[in-house]
Amino acid sequence: MASPMKCLASDRARYVQSFCAFLANSTEHQSMREFMERQLPGVIESIGNRKSTINILSVGGGAGEIDLLILSKVRARYPGVTINNDVIEPSADQVLKYKERVAETSNLENIKFTWHEETADDYESRMNAEKKPKKWDFIHMIQMLYYVKDIPATIQYFHSLLETQGKLLIIVLSENSGWETLWRKYSSSFPLGDLCSYISSADMKRILDSAGLKYQAHELPSYLDITSCFVEGNKDGELLLDFLTEICDFSKTAPPELKHQIMEELRKPECSEKRDGKVLFNNNLSVVVIEP
């Protein structure tokens, strides 16, 4: 009998719900914000040298929270310069939230926003069809490479769009995270199809090394509070389990044995630590900055 489990990415509304639960219970954005505050200025130091316009491409921009922080750092480094910020984001809900955030944010003069409600693969196909590839001074792909069909080809494609002083910034899960343990062990049990694949900093380094690309990697500590996952019927916990496994309604559709194994695995020190009565899943990230 076919498994009733289906990939979370196939249900965009449920995906956004579970992603929001993940953000609310993790320090992911906090960790990214700290990186953007402390280290991004060094990354973008020369992307706009002698330019009157800086072109930025956000691939998988989500609701724009991190994008706006990145833009504030670019503006601070290049005051008065016009910035074209193009956003690729397949979720209509996320695009709407991004537009609302822009409308509520001051100090965005000189920044022109263009949203493309499509996937990275759609964008590449459209650009290839138009035969007018645009070059970019800064491209960032934050926590989105799990949802492309061919990860090495996608990295190569967007890298090919960099200007001579440009930078490609990619954030993925760290090879030292709990995800690495969970997914290396159980992803073969998840019905992901071609909608989702696992990639960590270890995979990224292999891809970039084999392509001969120059890069720097930075580790970002982060955790996810998964205590609610162990409370039967807890809505937040169910959404978090969906996000951790990339399975829609995992707690209701997973075979009992698989569910038992996953719950046991999540408690292990390789995945999580217990602190102050909470179970904190290791959500460490890796920022990889690639040269042109």
Side-chain angles (χ1 to χ4, degrees):
M1 194 175 82
S3 166
M5 292 193 296
K6 69 172 186 174
C7 180
L8 182 61
S10 67
D11 185 332
R12 205 152 269 170
R14 180 76 178 183
Y15 173 83
V16 170
Q17 265 190 304
S18 63
F19 177 58
C20 290
F22 165 76
L23 287 183
N25 288 280
S26 77
T27 61
E28 175 145 313
H29 273 188
Q30 181 185 325
S31 299
M32 289 182 191
R33 279 194 294 269
E34 286 174 12
F35 176 86
M36 301 307 170
E37 292 288 351
R38 294 175 187 170
Q39 290 170 283
L40 186 66
V43 172
I44 60 170
E45 179 62 34
S46 59
I47 62 166
N49 283 356
R50 296 181 296 280
K51 291 189 171 223
S52 57
T53 302
I54 294 174
N55 296 314
I56 297 176
L57 181 62
S58 165
V59 187
E65 184 183 349
I66 300 299
D67 283 23
L68 291 187
L69 181 54
I70 289 171
L71 290 168
S72 73
K73 296 303 169 192
V74 176
R75 277 195 56 174
R77 172 66 184 87
Y78 300 100
V81 169
T82 299
I83 300 171
N84 292 321
N85 186 69
D86 277 40
V87 181
I88 300 168
E89 171 53 54
S91 166
D93 184 57
Q94 293 289 83
V95 169
L96 182 62
K97 285 179 182 169
Y98 197 138
K99 290 178 177 177
E100 287 169 352
R101 183 170 266 123
V102 166
E104 293 162 2
T105 304
S106 57
N107 301 322
L108 294 179
E109 305 82 22
N110 304 339
I111 303 178
K112 183 189 172 210
F113 290 87
T114 306
W115 287 273
H116 307 278
E117 197 178 302
E118 60 189 353
T119 66
D121 292 324
D122 294 338
Y123 177 85
E124 182 177 348
S125 299
R126 186 165 60 82
M127 289 297 109
N128 288 338
E130 289 177 12
K131 294 188 169 63
K132 290 185 291 188
K134 186 173 177 179
K135 292 285 187 174
W136 303 90
D137 301 299
F138 189 52
I139 301 174
H140 53 88
M141 309 168 77
I142 298 175
Q143 290 287 57
M144 57 67 62
L145 277 175
Y146 321 105
Y147 307 107
V148 301
K149 290 188 178 75
D150 185 334
I151 293 168
T154 298
I155 293 171
Q156 286 274 26
Y157 172 72
F158 284 100
H159 179 264
S160 75
L161 303 183
L162 287 178
E163 290 280 17
T164 52
Q165 296 286 315
K167 292 280 196 300
L168 170 58
L169 181 147
I170 297 176
I171 299 183
V172 292
L173 291 160
S174 166
E175 61 201 89
N176 302 312
S177 70
W179 296 89
E180 184 81 350
T181 304
L182 185 70
W183 275 69
R184 294 291 179 216
K185 201 165 179 178
Y186 290 104
S187 61
S188 61
S189 303
F190 302 153
L192 303 175
D194 62 355
L195 290 171
C196 177
S197 53
Y198 176 70
I199 176 173
S200 73
S201 55
D203 304 299
M204 275 292 299
K205 289 168 188 171
R206 278 195 294 273
I207 291 167
L208 298 177
D209 288 340
S210 67
L213 297 177
K214 283 170 58 181
Y215 63 91
Q216 286 185 313
H218 310 264
E219 188 86 354
L220 302 190
S222 172
Y223 67 81
L224 168 67
D225 184 348
I226 59 170
T227 315
S228 61
C229 292
F230 302 96
V231 180
E232 195 66 39
N234 183 289
K235 185 167 183 267
D236 230 28
E238 289 181 354
L239 288 168
L240 291 176
L241 280 171
D242 284 13
F243 197 77
L244 285 163
T245 60
E246 286 290 330
I247 302 298
C248 198
D249 279 317
F250 174 81
S251 60
K252 294 186 178 73
T253 63
E257 182 56 27
L258 178 63
K259 184 181 175 183
H260 174 74
Q261 289 172 348
I262 295 293
M263 301 311 286
E264 289 293 303
E265 195 69 39
L266 287 173
R267 289 184 184 275
K268 290 180 181 175
E270 293 83 2
C271 282
S272 306
E273 65 169 296
K274 294 189 176 73
R275 198 192 310 161
D276 302 326
K278 294 180 177 178
V279 184
L280 304 179
F281 182 78
N282 180 330
N283 185 58
N284 286 1
L285 307 168
S286 185
V287 180
V288 181
V289 179
I290 307 167
E291 305 290 329

